[in-house]
Amino acid sequence: MKNRIKVLRAEQNITQAQLANRVEVSRQTINAIEKGKFDPSLPLAFKIARLFNLKIEDIFQDEE
Amino acid sequence: MKNRIKVLRAEQNITQAQLANRVEVSRQTINAIEKGKFDPSLPLAFKIARLFNLKIEDIFQDEE
DNA sequence: TGTAAATGTCAAGTTTTGTTTACATTTTAT
DNA sequence: ATAAAATGTAAACAAAACTTGACATTTACA
């Protein structure tokens, strides 16, 4: 599962740590998701999408 | 996290078992999600949304 | 150039998601 | 009324998401 979080952060000038705080997970979790190490839970995906005012599908792309 | 899976199944006349087969999880997993016992993983949410030709947000509603 | 902030990564542990098996209850149709 | 299909539920387990803590590497900029 790919995602555009890194780009969205860059657009908004937000660090991994700041994003982590705002969606209430650890910085390592954001890092791992960005690097594709694992997928966020559905509730976390919702939080991230809401933060960027985007649909989940606009941030995460299923790849199979 | 609420969802409209039961209604969507009814509309399409699909059983839990049939839906489970098509998204490649167990029937009990579909049942548990419908009953709100837990949330699906993000990849599973994508599969379900794709099956019904809907956005994830049109099926699952975050309630915090 | 140096140093602070940001990012990457790893290991060990907890929590949540999902499976399997098995059985009970409800619904549907004959 | 009965049989079959569909749904509900529970326990024990496996797998994936997430945490904490620690340290190494990269980036930005005074």
Side-chain angles (χ1 to χ4, degrees):
Chain A
M1 176 100 52
K2 288 186 176 179
N3 69 76
R4 307 205 310 119
I5 295 176
K6 189 168 184 171
V7 174
L8 294 169
R9 274 199 310 104
E11 285 175 3
Q12 309 268 345
N13 230 39
I14 294 172
T15 68
Q16 290 182 347
Q18 288 170 335
L19 175 54
N21 279 336
R22 297 188 61 182
V23 297
E24 294 173 300
V25 294
S26 69
R27 180 184 66 79
Q28 287 86 338
T29 292
I30 295 298
N31 185 272
I33 292 168
E34 275 192 14
K35 302 295 287 184
K37 291 210 170 185
F38 54 73
D39 298 320
S41 67
L42 188 54
L44 179 51
F46 264 94
K47 278 189 175 184
I48 294 170
R50 214 164 27 230
L51 188 65
F52 289 116
N53 284 307
L54 291 172
K55 296 278 187 184
I56 288 177
E57 282 89 347
D58 295 330
I59 301 180
F60 300 92
Q61 292 103 31
D62 211 9
E63 47 188 343
E64 88 269 9
Chain B
M1 177 98 54
K2 287 186 175 177
N3 69 77
R4 306 203 313 117
I5 295 176
K6 188 168 186 171
V7 175
L8 294 170
R9 273 199 310 106
E11 284 173 5
Q12 309 269 345
N13 230 38
I14 294 171
T15 68
Q16 292 182 344
Q18 288 170 334
L19 175 53
N21 279 336
R22 298 189 59 183
V23 297
E24 297 173 299
V25 294
S26 68
R27 182 184 66 77
Q28 287 82 344
T29 292
I30 295 299
N31 185 273
I33 292 168
E34 275 193 14
K35 304 293 288 183
K37 291 210 172 186
F38 54 72
D39 299 319
S41 66
L42 188 54
L44 180 52
F46 263 93
K47 277 190 174 182
I48 294 170
R50 216 168 21 233
L51 188 65
F52 289 116
N53 283 308
L54 291 172
K55 296 278 186 184
I56 288 178
E57 281 89 347
D58 296 330
I59 301 180
F60 300 93
Q61 292 102 30
D62 209 10
E63 46 186 343
E64 86 290 1

